[in-house]
């Protein structure tokens, strides 16, 4: 008998011929995530099995596996030889006193001498003999699963622990996350990583108008994301000069619109230089003036070569907050350090900007020089 963890993967089966690439990536990611742990990894008959770990590390290992995209669920299981006597001996140890239960048996190995139903009934009898309990086939308090697999082993387990789902990290390419210190953008990064995108991040600060601690907060948010994304290359760019120039030369209501357009242009340049295939933002429709349809048309309008992914676009703030809590970024996001977008904030930002008006305001600026200056001062921090 040995303790194992059974892993099940989700959507991979959709991938036809590419399946091998997806599986290889998933296995790599699992092994990377468990780096530093002692364990063995087996792949038999469409199942991944982790074994050979120290029992005290089991919950820690499970927590880590629950952060790996592409895994659908997992179970703590006991593995025994697939002989009816051995299985019965193991089932005898199960304690379900004063509970209702049922046994669900599955026989993937068709050479096993009992059919699934017979096996379930036989094992149900063993449980009844050894406990004061009742069978309830429809709404049992405990489900005892017994899988007899082709590798001549049987797996006995109770729960399916739900994992992240999604696609293995790295199977969709790499993108640049615009990471502010707010609640939404870390969630956006998590959601896109869940679809298989590796993430680099870009943060704009307005030092000395924003503090060093505001930057530390963003590094901390990136660090929280690394649990899901692996190490993150964080590009940090000073936006101070751009904001001062806009403040001096453009009408106040277009300040945020122009800022966003310049952020996007810088982001696209960083994408090109680092071979990143998309920009990700935390925008949500109608949340603030700069996130109306018209605003997004005008800000997104400067991007020519990559798509902009906005995974929070249809979500309510409470839905975004729930995810932020789940991935443990919320408490950091609400720390009260100022964001660069709050510096020189106009009282009445335009809600329906137009491209023509934005271009007219931008004609007062030396855009290329400003953008080049930002890029020249770029700082890179590898967060892990
Ligand atoms: P968040 O909670 O992500 O800050 P928000 O609701 O505060 O979002 P905005 O401040 O309007 O919204 O920002 C919209 C998006 O623009 C953010 O989700 C983020 O992707 C990007 N963004 C805003 N500020 C910055 C910044 N200082 N650095 C990098 N990206 C930024
Ligand atoms: Mg913000």
């Amino acid at each position: 008998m040995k303790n194992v963890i059974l892993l099940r993967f989700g959507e991979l089966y959709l991938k036809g011929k590419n399946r091998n690439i997806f599986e290889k990536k998933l296995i790599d990611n699992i092994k990377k995530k468990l780096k530093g742990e002692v364990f063995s990894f087996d792949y038999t008959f469409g199942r991944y099995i982790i074994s050979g770990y120290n029992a005290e590390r089991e919950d820690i290992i499970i927590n880590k596996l629950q952060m790996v995209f592409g895994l659908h669920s997992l179970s703590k299981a006991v593995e025994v030889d697939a002989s009816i006597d051995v299985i019965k001996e193991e089932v005898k140890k199960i304690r379900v006193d004063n509970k209702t239960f049922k046994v669900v048996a599955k026989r993937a190995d068709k050479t096993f001498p009992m059919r699934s139903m017979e096996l379930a009934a036989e094992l149900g009898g063993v449980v009844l003999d050894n406990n004061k309990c009742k069978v309830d086939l429809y709404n049992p308090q405990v489900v005892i699963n017994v899988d007899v697999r082709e590798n001549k082993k049987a797996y006995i387990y109770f729960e399916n622990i739900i994992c992240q789902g999604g696609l293995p990290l790295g199977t969709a390419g790499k993108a640049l996350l615009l990471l502010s210190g707010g609640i939404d953008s870390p969630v956006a990064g998590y959601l896109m990583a869940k679809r298989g995108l590796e993430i680099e991040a870009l943060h704009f600060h307005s030092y000395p108008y924003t503090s060093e601690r505001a930057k530390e907060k963003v590094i901390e948010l990136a660090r929280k994301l690394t649990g899901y994304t692996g190490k993150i290359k964080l590009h940090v760019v000073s936006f101070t000069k751009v904001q001062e120039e806009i403040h001096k030369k453009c009408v106040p209501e277009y300040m945020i619109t122009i800022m966003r357009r310049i952020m996007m242009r810088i982001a696209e340049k960083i994408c090109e230089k680092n071979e990143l295939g998309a920009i990700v933002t935390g925008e949500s429709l109608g949340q603030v003036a700069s996130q109306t349809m018209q605003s997004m048309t005008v800000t997104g309008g400067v991007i020519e070569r990559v798509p902009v992914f906005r995974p929070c676009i249809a979500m309510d703030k409470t839905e975004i907050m729930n995810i932020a809590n789940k991935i443990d970024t919320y408490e950091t996001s609400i720390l009260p350090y100022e964001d660069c977008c709050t510096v020189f904030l106009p009282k009445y930002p335009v809600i329906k900007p137009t491209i023509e008006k934005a271009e007219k305001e931008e004609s007062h600026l030396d855009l290329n020089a400003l953008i080049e200056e930002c890029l020249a001062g770029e700082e890179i921090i590898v967060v892990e």
Side-chain angles (χ1 to χ4, degrees), residues 26 32 53 60 115 203 225 233 253 258 273 326 340:
L26 179 56
K32 238 190 243 167
Y53 50 84
I60 294 164
R115 287 165 170 257
H203 176 66
L225 283 178
K233 184 172 164 190
E253 62 270 26
I258 309 284
K273 195 169 153 207
K326 184 180 104 174
C340 82

Side-chain angles (χ1 to χ4, degrees), residues 370-383:
L370 279 176
I371 291 171
E372 285 314 316
E373 201 178 322
C374 283
L375 287 169
E378 177 191 19
E379 179 192 359
I380 295 203
I381 301 169
V382 176
V383 184

